[in-house]
Amino acid sequence: MTEQTIFRKARLADGSLVDLHVMDGRFNAITPASAAGLSAGTDLGGQLVLPGFVEGHIHLDTSFYGDAWRPHIPCTNGFDVRERVAFQARNLSAAAPMAERAKNQLELCIGHGSLAMRSHVMVDGSVGLKHLEVILAICEKYRELIDIQLVAFPQSGILSSPGTPEFLDEALRLGCDLVGGLDPASFDRDVKAHLDVVFGLAGKHGVGVDIHLHDGGTLGLFQIEEIAARTTALGMGGNVAVSHAYALGDIPADALARAGDMLAASGVAIMTNAPGNHAFPPVAALRKAGVTVFSGSDNIRDSWWPYGDGDMLNRASMIGYRSGFYEDWELEAAYDVVSYAGAKALGLEGYGIEVGARADFVVLKAEHVPEAVVAVPGERTVYRAGRVVAKDGAVL
Ligand SMILES: [Zn+2]
């Protein structure tokens, strides 16, 4: 797009009514809304305009969204990651082609207004690089519509699954943006050896880290401390995230205060999807401590749970609901988790509604952000680089 496009009467989050001028896919001017009568450009009619949402944690390879319904299989004796991984392997062996399922999820997310995404993709001794090859190809097809970061994710552990360090190394060479990890203590039973591989590969390839950590209590906290210490020692602040970090939701207040300070100082971000059946990181307390808290759908109709709709605005609503957020500033915080904080955690360039930023935005039937978070309006139009790409949930 080389000519100027104008979007008139856009309501920004601060309440101001403006005209958005777009050139070459970026906002090149934002001016007070022009006088009535001007008809050039697109009239947004005073609807709320927000930057595209950030889907910070999803699994494009393992969802059954759009495939046959798969009834949830409960763990036999409480939540057990190893058992869930086994259920997943069984389910995936009978699933529709991965490219088709990944495409369904991508369109679900884009349709709701997510224009940046971080997806974990299984890379381990059980599947090798098979999932990654499919996901890399499908992401390439969607690059005009959404920015995608891929995490090489050792779903079957690193030490528990022979060959995994080598597969992770190769995955990073093939283009994964980050290296993942999985419960270094409870799954691999060797925190140091697990993190040596993860941070060793991150250093070798110059990539970030995003580790799945379900371990609760002091065991989980110990691993968070180890991850933060390595992040500081390696100068990787801003490039490391811990996903789930359930432990932060079930440790005493004084321990949480220390953890919050440590995470903020080391620059380790925390991802939570406000899961329904777990203690989860206290979003307000961590934000107050200066920690970047971001979010994602995580599992959408997969072997872990049947929920998920790919709508990050609905996710903000869930975060607010589970966090007991009622006041406007709290609802705005829930929205921040799925937008600006997500952009910070993912290191996105040119995010926001401002001159110079990319013209990736969502137009919503809401007066302001607090209303958008509680109402989750389904009617919305999604623009990528100033062009409509989705309307009312459907990718055009
Ligand atoms: Zn996950």
Side-chain angles (χ1 to χ4, degrees):
M1 184 183 315
T2 47
E3 67 196 55
Q4 174 113 334
T5 310
I6 302 176
F7 298 91
R8 290 181 293 113
K9 294 185 195 153
R11 178 79 60 194
L12 300 186
D14 65 4
S16 60
L17 197 61
V18 301
D19 289 347
L20 302 167
H21 304 251
V22 175
M23 175 98 88
D24 296 328
R26 288 183 184 259
F27 296 115
N28 70 329
I30 297 176
T31 55
S34 49
L38 193 81
S39 60
T42 305
D43 185 351
L44 298 180
Q47 293 184 90
L48 185 63
V49 172
L50 300 175
F53 305 126
V54 179
E55 167 58 76
H57 186 124
I58 197 167
H59 293 262
L60 286 176
D61 53 339
T62 53
S63 168
F64 301 109
Y65 182 77
D67 190 5
W69 180 262
R70 295 248 167 359
H72 181 76
I73 308 168
C75 286
T76 48
N77 190 19
F79 181 69
D80 179 338
V81 174
R82 208 171 278 278
E83 195 172 29
R84 293 240 68 82
V85 172
F87 294 155
Q88 176 166 276
R90 197 197 305 169
N91 279 335
L92 284 174
S93 66
M98 187 179 297
E100 202 176 293
R101 291 182 289 107
K103 178 176 175 290
N104 291 338
Q105 270 199 110
L106 279 165
E107 300 215 351
L108 181 72
C109 296
I110 296 164
H112 284 119
S114 287
L115 297 174
M117 168 185 282
R118 175 179 290 179
S119 174
H120 295 252
V121 181
M122 272 179 82
V123 172
D124 57 30
S126 75
V127 300
L129 299 165
K130 277 187 278 185
H131 287 209
L132 181 64
E133 283 158 5
V134 175
I135 299 301
L136 278 170
I138 194 83
C139 289
E140 182 60 27
K141 288 188 181 159
Y142 279 80
R143 61 184 296 175
E144 294 295 314
L145 295 181
I146 184 169
D147 297 312
I148 305 172
Q149 298 180 351
L150 297 180
V151 185
F153 171 47
Q155 174 78 85
S156 305
I158 294 176
L159 314 174
S160 315
S161 179
T164 297
E166 292 74 21
F167 283 124
L168 292 173
D169 191 18
E170 183 62 10
L172 292 163
R173 205 187 58 73
L174 288 174
C176 273
D177 305 278
L178 300 100
V179 56
L182 173 68
D183 292 320
S186 68
F187 204 96
D188 268 352
R189 310 196 75 83
D190 189 337
V191 177
K192 184 178 178 300
H194 187 106
L195 295 181
D196 279 349
V197 173
V198 173
F199 281 90
L201 287 171
K204 177 179 174 185
H205 293 273
V207 298
V209 167
D210 192 330
I211 297 176
H212 277 69
L213 184 62
H214 308 88
D215 291 335
T218 48
L219 181 63
L221 178 61
F222 171 75
Q223 294 167 84
I224 290 168
E225 289 168 348
E226 290 295 299
I227 292 166
R230 285 178 186 248
T231 301
T232 300
L234 297 169
M236 286 183 65
N239 291 314
V240 176
V242 177
S243 285
H244 303 309
Y246 293 149
L248 296 173
D250 64 12
I251 52 176
D254 57 345
L256 174 68
R258 282 195 300 274
D261 289 344
M262 180 187 59
L263 288 165
S266 60
V268 173
I270 297 294
M271 191 300 300
T272 183
N273 61 336
N277 59 343
H278 283 283
F280 70 107
V283 175
L286 290 172
R287 282 172 57 89
K288 196 172 174 197
V291 181
T292 301
V293 180
F294 67 116
S295 189
S297 300
D298 194 13
N299 312 99
I300 297 178
R301 290 195 202 170
D302 66 2
S303 305
W304 296 71
W305 57 34
Y307 292 100
D309 63 0
D311 183 357
M312 289 311 293
L313 192 56
N314 194 32
R315 185 61 52 185
S317 193
M318 281 185 233
I319 290 165
Y321 186 85
R322 280 221 68 199
S323 301
F325 289 173
Y326 297 139
E327 293 180 61
D328 282 2
W329 68 270
E330 293 174 310
L331 297 171
E332 283 162 0
Y335 158 71
D336 186 71
V337 169
V338 305
S339 55
Y340 289 88
K344 188 177 176 197
L346 268 62
L348 300 183
E349 171 274 332
Y351 184 84
I353 308 292
E354 59 187 39
V355 173
R358 293 163 46 154
D360 290 358
F361 58 96
V362 186
V363 180
L364 294 153
K365 287 224 164 178
E367 254 183 65
H368 41 57
V369 166
E371 189 196 3
V373 170
V374 299
V376 194
E379 241 179 281
R380 49 185 101 162
T381 310
V382 183
Y383 292 83
R384 168 81 161 171
R387 277 185 291 217
V388 183
V389 293
K391 199 161 172 52
D392 303 339
V395 173
L396 304 173

